[in-house]
Structures are given as C-alpha cells and as structure tokens.
Amino acid sequence: MKTITLPLPDWRKEAILFAACLVLAIGLNVYAIATFQTPWAELVTEMPVVLALALLVYTLLAAGRIAGYALKHLIANFERKNTGRKS
Amino acid sequence: MMDGIPDIELPPRDNNRRETLKTIASAITGSALLSTLPWLSPLKAAPAGKSPSDKVRLGLIGTGSRGQYLEEHLLKTPGAEIAALCDVYPPHLQAAQQKIGKPVTHYKDYRHLLDDKSVDAVIIATPLYLHAPMCLDALAAGKHVFCEKSLALTIPECKAVARTASQSPKVFQIGHQRLFHRATLYALQQVKAGDLGPITQIRAYWHRNVNWRRPVPSPELEMLLNWRVHRKYSAGLMTELASHHLQVANWFLDSPPLACIGYGSINYWKDGRDVFDNVNVIYKYPKGVSFIYDSLSSNRFYGLELQIMGPKGTLELETAKFYAENPPPAPGIIQLINQIERGTLESVALADRSWVPDLKKDTKGTPLPEDPDHDDGTGLSMAAFVNAVRLGEKSPAMIEHAYRSGVAALMGVIAMEEGREVAWPGGYA
C-alpha cells in the first residue's frame, strides 16, 4: 500500500488569507452603509454578519483551492502514467 | 416609569409581594396616565401593614378552578385575609380550604356568608347565572364586591348590577385582568401616542379544541359542573371568552359598540349542549370601525389573539408585539446581500407584479414590555381591589367597563340566536 503524506497547513498563510477576507467583508459593509445610507454604527453592530461573510468567502476560497490542488494532482498522475507507457 | 406608563415590574420571584407593591406604588404615583386609568389608583397607596385593622377580610364565593386561581393570588396579596369560603360542591370547597392551610369558616349558602359581619368584601367566582343575584345581594348586605367576568346572564341583569353598584358606597370591581396587564397598558400608550394612526379595525379570535366539559362523578351534578355548555346557566363562548376581548375593544375605542350582527352554531360538539360551539360576530363602533370576533371549539391551530390595526401599525396583544407597517430598513450589509441574491436568483419573472398575493408580512415585530413574572394582571387586580376596599376608593370607570363588556357579549349572543342586528341598549342609569 502506498503511503500518502499530507502536508500540514501553513497557518501564517491561512491567517493572512482570512484577514484579507475580513478586510473585504468590512469593505463591503462600508460600501453597503454608504450606498443604503444606514447608520455608521452598523460598522460595529453588524460585525457578526461581517465575520460570517468573511468566513463564507474564506470557505469558498478554501474549497476552490482544494479543488485546484486535486485537479493539479490528477493531471500530474495522468501525465506520469502516459510518460511511463511511452518509455 | 417609562413614557408615562406605570412601571409595574414585579420581581423575578414572587416571595415578597409587599415590597413589590411598594415599588409599584412609587412608580404609579405621579403617572400622567393615571387620570385615564383610575382603577390603578388604589395601587399607589402604601401596602397594608401587618396589624389586624389593616386587613381586609374576604369571603370567596365559588371555589372552582377560577375561584382557586384567585385564591392563590389573594394568599400572596398584602392586606388580604380569606376569612370565609362558600361553595355547594364539597370537593372544591375542600381543595380551597387546603390551599389556605388553616381552617376558615365555610358555607354552603352564600347568603349565610353575607350575614357574616366579620367579612368586609366578597369575591364572586361562580357560574354566570349566579353573578347578578349574588352581586345584588352582596351590595345590599353592605359588602364590597369583586365579581368575575362576565357581568351577568341577561342585559336587564347587567343594568341592575351596574346601577346598584354605581349607587352603592361600596367598591365594585370586575374580573377583567387586562385592565391591569402591563403589556396592554403599554399598548394603550402606543395607541394614544398615535403609533398606529387612528384605529381602523380590531380583530380577535379565541380557538380551542376541547369539548369544555368537566368529568361528572354522577349525572345529577351535570348542570352544576358543566354549566358552561347549558344556555340556562351560561351564554357560552361570548361571555366566557369574547367578553375579555370586547372589554379591550371598548377600552381602546373609548366607546361601547353601536350594534352587532353574527352567526353561530353547534357544528361539532353535538353532545346535548345548547350553547354554540362556534361564534362569529361583527361589532360596529363609531367612526366606521369594526370589531370582528370569532371563537371555535374544534380547532386550536391559531389559538387566541387580539389585533388592533391602524394605517401605521398593528398591535397583537396576546403575544404582546407591535408591528410597524413600514418597519425601519434592514442593516446596509443585509440589504446588499439581499440585493445580490435577488440579482442572481430572481432574474426570471414568474408573473406580473399585480399577481403577487398580499401574503402576511414576515416581520418579527417589537415586543411590548411584559411582566417578568408573567402576571396576566390578575395579581395586580387583586391587590388593587384589596387596597380599594381598605381606602374605600370606588372606581366608576370599573363599573362602566363591567357593564359595557358584559352587555356587548350578550348583544352578540342575541344577534346569533335571533338572526338580527342588535343595537346598543343604552346605559344603566
């Protein structure tokens, strides 16, 4: 049986990525407050919604990254098998 | 106090009603609203002390379920002493006696209780047909009277009781606890402040899925225990349930109904009863306002509710909530998300806008302040009665509420039974 070694996540990279998502969500909140002319207090009061939004974006990104990684892995395997047959 | 409403908060645990009433007294004193709620006035008096002269000695006539519920409140009311009990049904009498925890004088005939000079006031919690004779006898005997709703079985009886009570120097109070219910008082304040705009309609319903019968140990007790389903002793759903909501409608519209029409029938509980098991009545009030009421005994899905509606909002008093017609907008971020969702999910039109049905708005509403102890007003009404007796403070407004709601309920019964419009029969003077 082949042993598969999964690399540990790079926590620093993930934290930066989540912080970027958070900044994006806060930016959307600022845009929404300005557009819909609601109270600026919502910068604080709507923080749970902003956090949830940031988490959602981060999760979507993570899903995309995992899918990308899996696709890359499959292509590499496919190419390796094809190269083996030719030689 | 908040917005001129007496801040009638009770402590979380009801173990010190004396302190509670002191708090209420200080909150009510000076309330701007007090002039329009005179029946709350006795609550501003300092609670009774512990000396025997401060005690109001009460006779409880009728010790069934409602009588025992009132008894439980009275046992926690400062200044109240249950001095005598009266009932013709020994098991009820025994249960009431046990609640007191010490022996008290008991009677089978209420007239003997009225002869007891040591009793200052009576609480009447008997079947409807007994309200009028008992109230009249009690007032004639010089007793202060608290009578459970509804006032009486017939309109002439309502007139007689209200007239006698208004002429008597004794206190008369009716068991409409919503007059003391905290959320209802706040709702009234909202109406007076114009939060709803003018009231354009009141709608109420009370739906249950029960046959309203009690187990009867032997057939001869049928009429005694199941009086509610026999027309000779009861007017059915209108007096037992609707009278509560009618009282609030009369109060909030500041008028009795001008007339009413209605239909009722026995369409489910065909068990020998001769009161309707479903009632549907429309009352006409001044300024073109209607009060629409229905009650069922065969479906409980919608439970009970009282809805007061105006162009600017709706009050639902049983669940104690206010719904603005144009609620404040959602937070910006939520609006943005909704806009994105609409843009992606609702791009295909299902139909023209005019087709869209006016379904109920799914708004959460603003809760009205409620009593932390979930007192429906009964506790305060008992305290007010005891204080009113102690101070000798009569409230003509209370008699008016009793009369208007009692008569309005009976107008509905007559309209359904006789199949005609019934006009307000005038005052009792």
Side-chain angles (χ1 to χ4, degrees):
Chain A
M1 189 183 285
K2 191 182 173 186
T3 307
I4 298 170
T5 310
L6 291 172
L8 279 172
D10 182 345
W11 292 114
R12 194 162 173 272
K13 185 181 155 194
E14 297 305 316
I16 289 168
L17 197 58
F18 181 73
C21 294
L22 191 59
V23 169
L24 177 72
I26 291 171
L28 277 176
N29 195 17
V30 171
Y31 169 75
I33 291 168
T35 307
F36 296 103
Q37 297 182 338
T38 51
W40 285 101
E42 286 177 12
L43 280 176
V44 179
T45 57
E46 295 309 308
M47 199 43 89
V49 178
V50 169
L51 280 172
L53 195 60
L55 199 62
L56 177 73
V57 174
Y58 175 78
T59 309
L60 288 174
L61 275 178
R65 284 156 63 208
I66 290 167
Y69 177 80
L71 194 64
K72 203 170 135 187
H73 189 74
L74 279 173
I75 291 168
N77 269 356
F78 179 75
E79 282 177 349
R80 203 179 306 128
K81 276 179 190 170
N82 278 353
T83 316
R85 272 191 204 131
K86 279 177 190 167
S87 57
Chain B
M1 200 184 328
M2 205 170 101
D3 301 332
I5 292 283
D7 194 3
I8 45 180
E9 281 193 32
L10 293 175
R13 282 210 315 252
D14 208 4
N15 55 358
N16 195 342
R17 189 61 67 93
R18 191 177 304 276
E19 287 306 312
T20 300
L21 291 178
K22 271 185 191 169
T23 312
I24 293 165
S26 60
I28 286 178
T29 306
S31 164
L33 203 70
L34 194 60
S35 60
T36 61
L37 309 169
W39 53 90
L40 290 179
S41 174
L43 290 170
K44 74 183 176 186
K50 288 182 178 172
S51 77
S53 61
D54 259 354
K55 294 270 181 197
V56 171
R57 289 174 58 82
L58 298 153
L60 177 58
I61 304 174
T63 56
S65 59
R66 188 66 192 177
Q68 287 182 44
Y69 180 69
L70 298 179
E71 181 189 19
E72 285 165 15
H73 280 284
L74 284 169
L75 290 170
K76 292 185 277 188
T77 303
E81 182 186 343
I82 300 175
L85 298 170
C86 176
D87 207 302
V88 292
Y89 188 53
H92 286 168
L93 199 57
Q94 209 171 0
Q97 175 84 66
Q98 275 171 358
K99 283 201 165 92
I100 298 174
K102 62 174 184 182
V104 294
T105 318
H106 56 271
Y107 301 95
K108 204 169 179 183
D109 187 332
Y110 75 96
R111 285 165 294 196
H112 293 152
L113 185 147
L114 297 180
D115 289 338
D116 187 338
K117 300 288 178 209
S118 73
V119 171
D120 303 309
V122 291
I123 308 284
I124 297 171
T126 53
L128 182 66
Y129 76 104
L130 292 170
H131 286 187
M134 286 181 169
C135 285
L136 294 172
D137 286 348
L139 289 166
K143 308 294 184 194
H144 302 277
V145 174
F146 176 100
C147 181
E148 255 307 325
K149 66 87 198 126
S150 188
L151 185 56
L153 185 61
T154 67
I155 292 176
E157 282 181 345
C158 288
K159 283 182 185 270
V161 175
R163 196 183 309 117
T164 308
S166 67
Q167 289 165 357
S168 163
K170 298 296 173 183
V171 173
F172 181 86
Q173 189 169 318
I174 190 81
H176 279 309
Q177 66 270 21
R178 282 163 180 77
L179 288 164
F180 297 87
H181 183 223
R182 190 166 182 240
T184 308
L185 293 171
Y186 271 90
L188 179 71
Q189 174 75 358
Q190 281 198 279
V191 170
K192 299 280 182 204
D195 290 359
L196 275 69
I199 294 175
T200 48
Q201 188 182 86
I202 301 184
R203 196 167 59 178
Y205 50 86
W206 201 318
H207 296 181
R208 291 171 165 178
N209 196 346
V210 289
N211 67 3
W212 223 4
R213 286 182 174 277
R214 306 249 161 102
V216 178
S218 60
E220 71 271 14
L221 294 172
E222 165 63 17
M223 295 298 177
L224 180 68
L225 295 176
N226 287 321
W227 58 272
R228 282 186 182 85
V229 298
H230 298 290
R231 185 64 182 93
K232 193 177 171 189
Y233 307 108
S234 156
L237 294 164
M238 292 307 295
T239 46
E240 294 308 303
L241 304 181
S243 61
H244 281 300
H245 289 156
L246 278 163
Q247 180 269 313
V248 177
N250 295 339
W251 181 17
F252 278 54
L253 293 169
D254 202 17
S255 169
L258 301 171
C260 75
I261 51 168
Y263 292 100
S265 69
I266 303 169
N267 66 12
Y268 187 71
W269 295 108
K270 294 172 182 173
D271 56 0
R273 72 185 56 206
D274 55 3
V275 297
F276 296 138
D277 65 4
N278 73 97
V279 295
N280 312 271
V281 186
I282 301 177
Y283 289 87
K284 182 166 83 175
Y285 279 84
K287 297 178 188 168
V289 179
S290 295
F291 170 68
I292 303 168
Y293 182 84
D294 74 277
S295 192
L296 291 181
S297 316
S298 55
N299 183 296
R300 67 176 180 198
F301 183 72
Y302 285 103
L304 84 157
E305 192 51 270
L306 172 63
Q307 300 161 329
I308 300 172
M309 290 170 271
K312 287 156 73 177
T314 301
L315 280 160
E316 291 198 338
L317 293 191
E318 297 297 344
T319 43
K321 280 197 172 174
F322 172 68
Y323 301 87
E325 282 287 293
N326 297 305
I333 189 79
I334 301 292
Q335 289 188 59
L336 182 65
I337 292 168
N338 288 342
Q339 200 178 60
I340 293 166
E341 273 181 2
R342 275 199 299 273
T344 54
L345 300 177
E346 295 181 13
S347 54
V348 181
L350 291 171
D352 187 78
R353 278 185 71 82
S354 63
W355 177 87
V356 177
D358 289 328
L359 295 176
K360 188 187 173 193
K361 300 285 178 220
D362 189 21
T363 50
K364 286 182 179 170
T366 312
L368 304 177
E370 284 217 81
D371 190 287
D373 258 4
H374 304 290
D375 177 27
D376 62 358
T378 307
L380 277 183
S381 72
M382 290 288 100
F385 177 65
V386 169
N387 267 9
V389 169
R390 207 159 50 84
L391 304 167
E393 200 173 310
K394 282 189 64 174
S395 172
M398 184 60 84
I399 299 169
E400 194 64 36
H401 273 294
Y403 178 72
R404 288 180 176 187
S405 58
V407 169
L410 294 169
M411 283 167 64
V413 176
I414 296 167
M416 289 185 290
E417 287 178 343
E418 299 183 9
R420 65 179 175 93
E421 185 184 50
V422 178
W424 174 251
Y428 52 81

